[in-house]
Amino acid sequence: MTGEIGLLALCLALALALVQAMTGLAGTRPKSELARRVATTASLGLLVFVGLSFGALTYASVTDDFSILNVAQNSHTLKPLIYKISGVWGNHEGSMMLWVLVLALYSGAVALSRRGGERLVSGALGVQGLIAAAFILFILFTSNPFLRLDPAPFEGAGLNPLLQDPGLAIHPPVLYIGYVGLSAAFSFAASALIAQERDWARAARPFMLVAWIALTLGIALGSWWAYYDLGWGGFWFWDPVENASLMPWLVATALLHSALATERTGAFRSWSLLLAIAAFSLSLIGTFLVRSGVLSSVHSFAKDPTRGLYILALIFTAIGGALALFAWRAPKLEEGTHFEIVSRETSLLINNVFLTAAAATVFIGTLYPLVLDSLTGTKLSVGPPYFAITFAPIFGLLLLLVPFGPRLSWQKGDLRQALRTLAPAFGIALVVAISVLAFTSPHTLTGAAMFGLAAWLIASSAIDLAKLNWRAARIGAFASALAHAGLAVTLIGIAGTTLWKSEGLEVLKFGESMHVGGYTLRLDGVRGVQGPNYQAAHADVTVLSDGRAIAVMHPERRIFPAERQETIQTAIRTTILADLYLALGDRRDDTHWTLRAYVNPLAPFIWLGAVVMALGGFASLAGRLRSRRGVPDAVAVPAE
């Protein structure tokens, strides 16, 4: 009955989503109190029934109910419990269920938080209901996770071994909180256009922050997983699936800054609405790329073009409808007050130009090869060289201008004062850049520029924090300094890992050694190890530095019999300042194995910076929630 209960709950959720959509949109009219109450109740009911349906699918997976096709295709009795749970979203049908569950959570949060006027909230619930109904219909008609098998097999086919990893168990839910969270900003923007509400940005900002934090952490988790699990020693490959998450992050970052100006002075009201539409549209496009089967990737589960066409139709409807609404209603929204050229608004505008330009380069680099292939059959690969000459310069200029924004006042700023304040940071950045150029090998202007930019951001953030009056400080200034400093820390990690990496690849006999980045690596042996659902070749590699043994590392190659696939399990020893990274390659004979080794300077800084950025987002979110609870005036100013 588990499958039937899950399917019935999903059907009831569809009915509630339609009720939520109709009553929510009707509630944007004055004197429609009843419709607004029904929309709120329906949104909470939607959450309950989607949760029940998702819970039924999870229960079927945990209990190895192979009479359900989805479970039979993606699980196995020997699979550890954590991967039976995470395996629910490790396939197309289950991942779409997770998508709808997160959407229902956001709908419930919008209903319960009641941020903004009643008409604004009601309209947002209506749009959320429309999105939920569209995705539940998609699941029911093209991706039903509760289809039965008769007779049921005794054993399941198992899950892709690459997905049987703690990083991949956490990465999708976090990323979905980000992707789907942008639907809340989208819904508030659409509602503002329908109800002609000017103050939508303040109501939507906490949801934007949650989505941005989750996207930041989700992208970092995905990058970390690729780093340690794929055995290539890299952290970012400009893969279309990776780019699909980067594009909404860039636009969401622009939206956060633009919405701040909209909230404070009313500037960029129409532009912020357009960014909210664009950010969620890019999330939908990312869903299409991963789910349509146009890409070959560990993330792309669906190969049925019918599903891709449905999502494509959904994208065109959502984007087209939202843009048509924008064209019709946005001109009627009153813009805010005037601002001078030298002002914080101008700095945020320039920030937005660079961020959207960076997103556009990623969009073109990701979509152009796919469009060219579909129209002409020509295969084209767009890799790091393209992004190095397009994305990197734009983002570098953005980082150069970032410290100016917090130092300029709203409407009219003082550029000379800002330059005087930033002079020490500029001096520090110059010294760091020259030092890197002089003392690192190989000498590289790119490295000097990247470290100079990082020092520029960190020093300017430190100046901000040093000058804060902590008793009367706005938490927004602290959050902004933290987020910008985190970006600099990530930049340091990228520079170190990209520019000064050492690597080696050798075939070693037991007892032989190789040398990489100041380390001597001795292959002592390789033995067989039995895991819960795999057999592994487990290597013992002694690490020596200056002739002294400092560690023994154990890279593995694992074979999963049920899935008939082999994976690499890397071994990483970190000193925070550098990673020693080992991957066991092919077996040549009984005593010879290939060993690949990297020394990646500053690699941990990549993910440490992402965590610091996310902490900045959390600080800003905390400031918002405190100001809503009426904390004393000194800290009650809305956080940035």
Side-chain angles (χ1 to χ4, degrees):
M1 288 294 288
T2 305
E4 286 68 27
I5 291 172
L7 188 59
L8 176 62
L10 197 59
C11 291
L12 291 173
L14 172 62
L16 287 166
L18 292 172
V19 171
Q20 177 185 328
M22 289 186 290
T23 54
L25 294 175
T28 58
R29 294 177 301 181
K31 300 180 181 178
S32 299
E33 182 59 32
L34 178 61
R36 290 192 277 269
R37 285 203 300 268
V38 172
T40 299
T41 305
S43 68
L44 298 178
L46 173 71
L47 174 58
V48 169
F49 282 102
V50 171
L52 180 61
S53 183
F54 189 85
L57 186 60
T58 305
Y59 179 78
S61 179
V62 169
T63 57
D64 300 321
D65 184 354
F66 299 132
S67 68
I68 294 178
L69 176 62
N70 180 267
V71 178
Q73 289 178 336
N74 299 287
S75 193
H76 192 279
T77 52
L78 294 179
K79 200 166 65 171
L81 177 61
I82 181 175
Y83 302 131
K84 288 183 180 178
I85 296 172
S86 64
V88 173
W89 53 81
N91 58 85
H92 168 74
E93 291 81 3
S95 69
M96 296 314 300
M97 286 291 294
L98 179 64
W99 213 101
V100 173
L101 176 63
V102 177
L103 184 65
L105 283 169
Y106 273 106
S107 282
V110 169
L112 293 175
S113 65
R114 307 203 65 78
R115 297 185 68 91
E118 290 184 343
R119 293 173 60 208
L120 182 68
V121 172
S122 183
L125 286 176
V127 177
Q128 288 284 94
L130 283 176
I131 298 170
F135 272 90
I136 294 173
L137 281 171
F138 171 66
I139 292 173
L140 289 173
F141 285 102
T142 72
S143 312
N144 184 356
F146 299 106
L147 289 177
R148 286 288 187 185
L149 268 180
D150 186 19
F154 289 108
E155 188 54 271
L159 180 68
N160 184 341
L162 286 174
L163 302 179
Q164 297 184 42
D165 181 272
L168 257 289
I170 305 168
H171 163 63
V174 175
L175 198 62
Y176 273 31
I177 293 171
Y179 269 151
V180 185
L182 293 175
S183 72
F186 173 87
S187 298
F188 272 109
S191 178
L193 289 167
I194 295 169
Q196 291 291 285
E197 291 278 354
R198 298 176 54 195
D199 296 327
W200 70 278
R202 186 184 298 274
R205 190 168 177 79
F207 298 99
M208 297 177 198
L209 279 167
V210 171
W212 183 85
I213 292 167
L215 272 177
T216 303
L217 292 175
I219 292 171
L221 278 167
S223 168
W224 178 54
W225 169 79
Y227 176 71
Y228 75 78
D229 203 61
L230 296 183
W232 301 341
F235 60 92
W236 190 266
F237 306 99
W238 294 106
D239 177 271
V241 176
E242 293 173 332
N243 296 346
S245 62
L246 180 61
M247 289 186 285
W249 184 85
L250 290 167
V251 177
T253 306
L255 173 61
L256 275 176
H257 290 83
S258 173
L260 182 64
T262 302
E263 183 181 342
R264 290 294 181 86
T265 66
F268 316 136
R269 185 167 282 123
S270 297
W271 173 243
S272 296
L273 289 166
L274 198 57
L275 282 178
I277 294 169
F280 183 58
S281 298
L282 287 170
S283 289
L284 290 176
I285 290 172
T287 303
F288 168 73
L289 289 175
V290 178
R291 304 284 172 263
S292 63
V294 299
L295 298 177
S296 179
S297 159
V298 67
H299 301 80
S300 45
F301 310 114
K303 299 298 181 187
D304 179 0
T306 306
R307 295 167 169 171
L309 287 174
Y310 187 101
I311 297 177
L312 203 57
L314 179 61
I315 290 173
F316 278 116
T317 303
I319 299 176
L323 291 179
L325 182 64
F326 177 82
W328 175 34
R329 305 285 280 187
K332 298 178 181 178
L333 287 173
E334 185 182 343
E335 283 293 345
T337 55
H338 174 75
F339 58 86
E340 302 289 333
I341 291 179
V342 179
S343 63
R344 187 174 292 193
E345 286 91 335
T346 301
S347 74
L348 293 176
L349 179 63
I350 296 172
N351 156 299
N352 270 226
V353 168
F354 281 117
L355 281 168
T356 51
T361 63
V362 179
F363 183 86
I364 293 170
T366 305
L367 272 294
Y368 176 69
L370 301 177
V371 173
L372 187 68
D373 185 18
S374 64
L375 294 180
T376 67
T378 304
K379 302 290 184 185
L380 178 68
S381 176
V382 175
Y386 163 81
F387 294 101
I389 61 173
T390 57
F391 180 84
I394 294 172
F395 211 77
L397 286 173
L398 170 68
L399 298 183
L400 193 62
L401 296 173
V402 160
F404 287 94
R407 282 157 190 83
L408 296 175
S409 301
W410 295 104
Q411 298 182 326
K412 184 177 181 180
D414 186 339
L415 185 57
R416 288 185 178 179
Q417 178 62 33
L419 288 171
R420 279 196 295 271
T421 308
L422 288 171
F426 181 77
I428 292 171
L430 196 61
V431 169
V432 169
I434 293 172
S435 301
V436 168
L437 193 60
F439 297 113
T440 58
S441 179
H443 302 297
T444 160
L445 284 174
T446 304
M450 293 175 77
F451 268 79
L453 275 174
W456 167 242
L457 287 173
I458 292 174
S460 58
S461 297
I463 291 171
D464 287 346
L465 295 177
K467 290 192 173 184
L468 276 179
N469 179 345
W470 289 95
R471 293 189 61 185
R474 291 180 308 159
I475 198 167
F478 172 73
S480 170
L482 205 58
H484 293 163
L487 193 57
V489 173
T490 293
L491 184 64
I492 289 172
I494 293 172
T497 306
T498 307
L499 300 173
W500 291 291
K501 170 191 291 189
S502 303
E503 62 179 285
L505 174 64
E506 291 190 24
V507 177
L508 297 178
K509 185 180 180 182
F510 292 163
E512 288 184 340
S513 301
M514 62 185 288
H515 304 279
V516 175
Y519 292 106
T520 299
L521 308 174
R522 187 182 68 220
L523 179 63
D524 295 328
V526 178
R527 52 197 163 87
V529 171
Q530 178 64 50
N533 59 339
Y534 62 85
Q535 291 103 39
H538 182 90
D540 299 314
V541 180
T542 298
V543 182
L544 300 100
S545 177
D546 297 326
R548 183 171 61 87
I550 58 173
V552 178
M553 298 174 66
H554 305 287
E556 291 184 350
R557 291 185 74 88
R558 293 179 178 176
I559 297 175
F560 291 76
E563 295 82 2
R564 300 178 183 176
Q565 291 186 40
E566 188 175 19
T567 65
I568 293 173
Q569 194 72 17
T570 61
I572 300 174
R573 179 179 184 271
T574 185
T575 61
I576 304 301
L577 293 178
D579 281 356
L580 172 60
Y581 180 109
L582 302 184
L584 187 64
D586 298 330
R587 173 185 175 183
R588 298 304 175 91
D589 58 39
D590 288 346
T591 58
H592 287 78
W593 285 76
T594 305
L595 186 65
R596 184 185 295 273
Y598 301 90
V599 175
N600 294 325
L602 304 173
F605 282 53
I606 296 171
W607 302 286
L608 176 64
V611 171
V612 175
M613 276 191 277
L615 288 175
F618 278 119
S620 182
L621 182 63
R624 289 276 157 175
L625 298 178
R626 291 182 70 188
S627 66
R628 183 175 167 81
R629 290 203 306 266
V631 174
D633 292 341
V635 290
V637 179
E640 297 176 2

